[in-house]
Amino acid sequence: MRLPVAFILITVMIDAMGVGLIIPVMPDLIRDVTGGDLAHAALWGGVLTTVFAVMQFLFGPVIGNLSDRYGRRPVLLVSLVVMAADYVVMAVAGTMWLLLLGRMIGGITAATQSTASAYMADISAPEKKAQNFGLVGAAFGLGFVIGPLMGGLLGEWGTRAPFWAAAGLAGANAVLGYFVLGETVTDAIRRPFQWRRANPLGAFKSLGQFPGFGRLFLVFFLYQVAFFVYPAVWAYFGHARFGWNAGMVGLSLGLFGIMMAVVQGGLIRLILARLGERGTVIYGLVFDVFAFAALAFVTSGTVALILTPLAALGAVITPALQGIMSKAVGDTRQGELQGALTSVSAVAMILAPLLMTSVFAQFTRSDAPVYFPGAPFLLSLGLIVIALAVFLNPRNRAVAA
């Protein structure tokens, strides 16, 4: 693997790790800072998560458009340096307002995933875009697995240790990028920075001019909301349905993340070669219908552990959709497209936890008419069915051929 590609994948992995790395220590850290109880810490934790996602939504297109104008290299390197400094600030923060500021900056710098994806698009032949986006997804999956594991281990050394580790990883990767990352934005594809296209609504309007893109964005959004059922309610679902403790929840999520990395890093190439990008999206959506149905009704913890990694076999939808849209927009707008997709994911990240946890609460409260912890998975199933119907609309065939 070429060093620049390795750098890009490490950057995405660090983005994913940076979120998961601090999850195990956040309750204790917030209680240390505020002096409150666990319930109070949970409320602040929700605020920090929401702020992080809102910043990603607002700044995804900004970062993407900046990379279209000034290049991928400076945007990535500056973001990594700022990310490292931000983790240092959070490591020494003694007030909630400083932690809040840190999460705001973290949400902005985490939007670099759009620039990393744009870099992969720059160096990929049209027929290779989807499978290379799969590598980006695989790196994210590995970060999703490694982050919480490292965070839990480092948390034994204190609530601040994971932040220092995250700062060191981001800083070391910035140094690596300085020496190995070349620039892919040439004068031939460079375009002026425009504020009207560097905000989420402007980016959606601009990209919506491409035939079928509005529906593809809707498919992407519906899938993201449905997929977020895992981080939103899996821990609560495992406890309510199977009596799992934190260790079993972590094991199951680790199995899912590993399989997701295998699928997006390797198996997707075989699926794309056989089905093409459009067929791959259809396969992924149909597979998820059955996966969510199985998880909604499973009653055995052992069977659930088997189903969890198998459910990741549908994790081909995002890179295939990215490949379809990336080929359609051309070389000059890769950053803008990936920034807009980052914003779509951020909106899903904001809405999905509220939606999924509310449904879970309605069907598991003491006076619920029907006790059904799997209800959120049926909601995800419904969203996937709608996404499949939208994608199969004949009007999408021109762009998704």
Side-chain angles (χ1 to χ4, degrees):
M1 182 183 297
R2 292 179 299 171
L3 283 176
V5 174
F7 166 80
I8 293 297
L9 298 182
I10 292 171
T11 298
V12 174
M13 187 172 68
I14 289 176
D15 280 348
M17 286 177 60
V19 177
L21 195 68
I22 64 177
I23 286 176
V25 299
M26 285 303 286
D28 289 336
L29 176 62
I30 294 173
R31 281 188 290 180
D32 287 345
V33 172
T34 64
D37 58 13
L38 184 61
H40 187 249
L43 290 175
W44 268 112
V47 171
L48 294 177
T49 301
T50 301
V51 164
F52 185 91
V54 168
M55 290 299 104
Q56 277 196 308
F57 168 72
L58 294 175
F59 283 89
V62 176
I63 299 295
N65 276 271
L66 284 173
S67 74
D68 282 342
R69 169 62 181 89
Y70 297 104
R72 318 296 184 214
R73 175 185 162 89
V75 169
L76 285 169
L77 294 182
V78 169
S79 295
L80 282 167
V81 171
V82 174
M83 183 186 295
D86 177 54
Y87 280 125
V88 170
V89 170
M90 294 190 70
V92 300
T95 67
M96 279 308 305
W97 300 112
L98 202 51
L99 286 177
L100 188 63
L101 177 63
R103 284 288 79 188
M104 291 174 66
I105 296 173
I108 296 171
T109 56
T112 51
Q113 186 172 346
S114 63
T115 307
S117 295
Y119 186 97
M120 292 296 281
D122 292 340
I123 64 173
S124 303
E127 67 277 7
K128 298 289 186 181
K129 287 182 185 290
Q131 69 181 45
N132 285 343
F133 287 137
L135 289 176
V136 174
F140 188 89
L142 285 176
F144 178 78
V145 175
I146 296 171
L149 292 176
M150 284 187 61
L153 292 173
L154 292 169
E156 298 296 320
W157 297 84
T159 57
R160 311 287 178 155
F163 294 96
W164 289 112
L169 285 172
N173 198 41
V175 173
L176 173 64
Y178 180 82
F179 288 105
V180 305
L181 189 67
E183 184 55 71
T184 58
V185 176
T186 63
D187 290 338
I189 64 173
R190 193 185 308 275
R191 63 178 182 82
F193 179 86
Q194 297 174 310
W195 278 109
R196 63 182 175 84
R197 293 164 61 172
N199 65 83
L201 297 181
F204 296 151
K205 181 179 179 181
S206 175
L207 292 166
Q209 296 171 359
F210 290 89
F213 259 46
R215 288 181 291 276
L216 291 178
F217 272 120
L218 178 58
V219 172
F220 187 85
F221 172 73
L222 291 171
Y223 171 71
Q224 291 293 320
V225 174
F227 179 82
F228 272 117
V229 71
Y230 292 109
V233 302
W234 187 255
Y236 309 103
F237 171 73
H239 177 76
R241 178 59 67 84
F242 314 119
W244 283 352
N245 58 21
M248 286 299 294
V249 170
L251 173 63
S252 61
L253 287 175
L255 290 172
F256 182 88
I258 291 170
M259 181 57 76
M260 184 174 163
V262 170
V263 170
Q264 294 192 335
L267 290 181
I268 190 174
R269 298 168 183 264
L270 302 177
I271 298 172
L272 284 166
R274 188 172 185 83
L275 301 179
E277 288 165 351
R278 186 173 188 275
T280 297
V281 174
I282 294 171
Y283 149 74
L285 292 171
V286 171
F287 187 94
D288 276 348
V289 167
F290 291 100
F292 285 135
L295 289 171
F297 292 103
V298 66
T299 57
S300 166
T302 301
V303 174
L305 276 178
I306 297 171
L307 287 175
T308 303
L310 291 178
L313 290 171
V316 295
I317 300 168
T318 298
L321 280 173
Q322 284 179 295
I324 290 170
M325 290 188 275
S326 179
K327 288 195 295 186
V329 301
D331 293 336
T332 64
R333 306 177 71 173
Q334 294 298 323
E336 181 181 17
L337 169 63
Q338 300 305 329
L341 291 174
T342 297
S343 288
V344 172
S345 295
V347 174
M349 191 187 302
I350 294 168
L351 296 179
L354 299 174
L355 184 62
M356 296 300 177
T357 54
S358 295
V359 171
F360 181 84
Q362 286 297 317
F363 284 90
T364 56
R365 68 179 195 267
S366 58
D367 59 342
V370 178
Y371 182 77
F372 186 36
F377 292 98
L378 284 188
L379 173 59
S380 290
L381 185 156
L383 293 173
I384 292 296
V385 169
I386 296 172
L388 182 60
V390 173
F391 187 77
L392 290 176
N393 188 312
R395 296 179 181 179
N396 284 333
R397 285 187 175 275
V399 68

